[in-house]
Amino acid sequence: MSMKANQDWHQSCYMSETCEHYDVCPMVLVQRVLSGKRKILILWYLSDGTLRFSEIKLRLPDVTQKMLTQQLRSLEEGGLISRTVYPVVPPKVEYGLTELGKKTIPILQQMHHFGVELLQEPLYRQKCISVDRLTDSSDEEGAEADD
């Protein structure tokens, strides 16, 4: 991101005084790290403990193996999850939250709480609104080339 773009982000943020000395707006950074095909759900599932790839895949049946692998790698590169490979046949790989990743748990819990509140709103209780219809069109598989 260019220096000009960073300045624009900072000027449009109501908390710009607290972060203008950084090269990137903290909210932009968090959005980049957490956005992606099912990253938030992966972190949510891992907040309860380590899981094997197949266990994560079972919890996310609509995600392809390729997309899940990409998202796990991205979270690992971002320092939020760890990947442990055991030298056994067949290969055993476990994923878990790092210390940095564990710092997302309170945020994830707040998001869960907000989801519960949304489900109590008439708009979200209507039978004609389904989770699939609420999905952002940019969330389609393959739409996130930079993740």
Side-chain angles (χ1 to χ4, degrees):
M1 182 179 282
S2 71
M3 183 65 103
K4 169 86 171 97
N6 281 331
Q7 290 171 347
D8 290 344
W9 279 111
H10 286 300
Q11 289 174 353
S12 61
C13 177
Y14 75 93
M15 294 186 69
S16 61
E17 311 81 50
T18 64
C19 65
E20 60 190 7
H21 60 279
Y22 295 112
D23 290 336
V24 64
C25 174
M27 286 303 293
V28 171
L29 176 62
V30 169
Q31 189 272 334
R32 286 184 185 158
V33 170
L34 295 182
S35 69
K37 188 78 171 174
R38 308 292 191 268
K39 282 184 182 178
I40 290 173
L41 287 176
I42 293 167
L43 292 169
W44 179 246
Y45 296 138
L46 291 176
S47 70
D48 193 38
T50 60
L51 293 171
R52 294 181 69 171
F53 182 91
S54 59
E55 295 171 315
I56 299 170
K57 180 74 177 96
L58 284 174
R59 289 169 170 80
L60 301 167
D62 62 326
V63 176
T64 65
Q65 183 167 334
K66 178 183 175 186
M67 181 56 67
L68 179 56
T69 299
Q70 288 174 346
Q71 296 308 290
L72 288 167
R73 282 186 187 146
S74 179
L75 288 166
E76 185 180 6
E77 289 168 4
L80 297 178
I81 68 170
S82 62
R83 178 177 184 264
T84 305
V85 181
Y86 296 94
V88 295
V89 177
K92 178 181 176 183
V93 179
E94 288 184 338
Y95 295 90
L97 294 179
T98 61
E99 289 305 312
L100 181 60
K102 289 176 184 175
K103 292 180 180 183
T104 67
I105 294 174
I107 299 165
L108 297 169
Q109 290 170 334
Q110 284 290 326
M111 292 173 74
H112 182 271
H113 179 72
F114 180 64
V116 169
E117 289 180 0
L118 279 177
L119 291 170
Q120 296 170 7
E121 292 292 322
L123 174 66
Y124 293 92
R125 283 189 296 190
Q126 293 175 3
K127 290 183 181 180
C128 66
I129 299 208
S130 70
V131 174
D132 292 333
R133 289 184 59 203
L134 294 174
T135 302
D136 181 24
S137 60
S138 66
D139 194 29
E140 295 299 318
E141 192 166 314
E144 297 166 344
D146 63 332
D147 277 340

